[in-house]
Amino acid sequence: MITVNGESVQNADGMSVAEFLESHGYPKMMLAVEVDGRIVPRAAWGETVLKEGAVVEVVRFVGGG
């Protein structure tokens, strides 16, 4: 189990960040992802694997003025 934005998520252990985002319907653009307190560059999403107990924050950028 991992924690995403404060909520427990099961069956995500072993998924890459990219796989997780796609399987949970996150848009591909305008996102920032942090895993265990470290920002994961977009180029590393496919190779960054989520492990048991990981704490993930997914932030969407919103335009405005």
Side-chain angles (χ1 to χ4, degrees), residues 2-61:
I2 67 170
T3 303
V4 179
N5 295 345
E7 296 185 23
S8 297
V9 177
Q10 295 185 8
N11 302 323
D13 304 336
M15 287 181 134
S16 70
V17 169
E19 291 170 329
F20 175 81
L21 294 173
E22 185 173 328
S23 71
H24 285 81
Y26 285 95
K28 295 183 181 199
M29 302 301 294
M30 307 297 286
L31 288 181
V33 178
E34 180 182 277
V35 177
D36 295 330
R38 295 177 190 228
I39 293 175
V40 179
R42 183 178 304 275
W45 287 1
E47 61 197 44
T48 302
V49 176
L50 301 173
K51 298 179 181 165
E52 175 74 25
V55 176
V56 180
E57 293 293 326
V58 179
V59 179
R60 293 185 208 195
F61 295 104

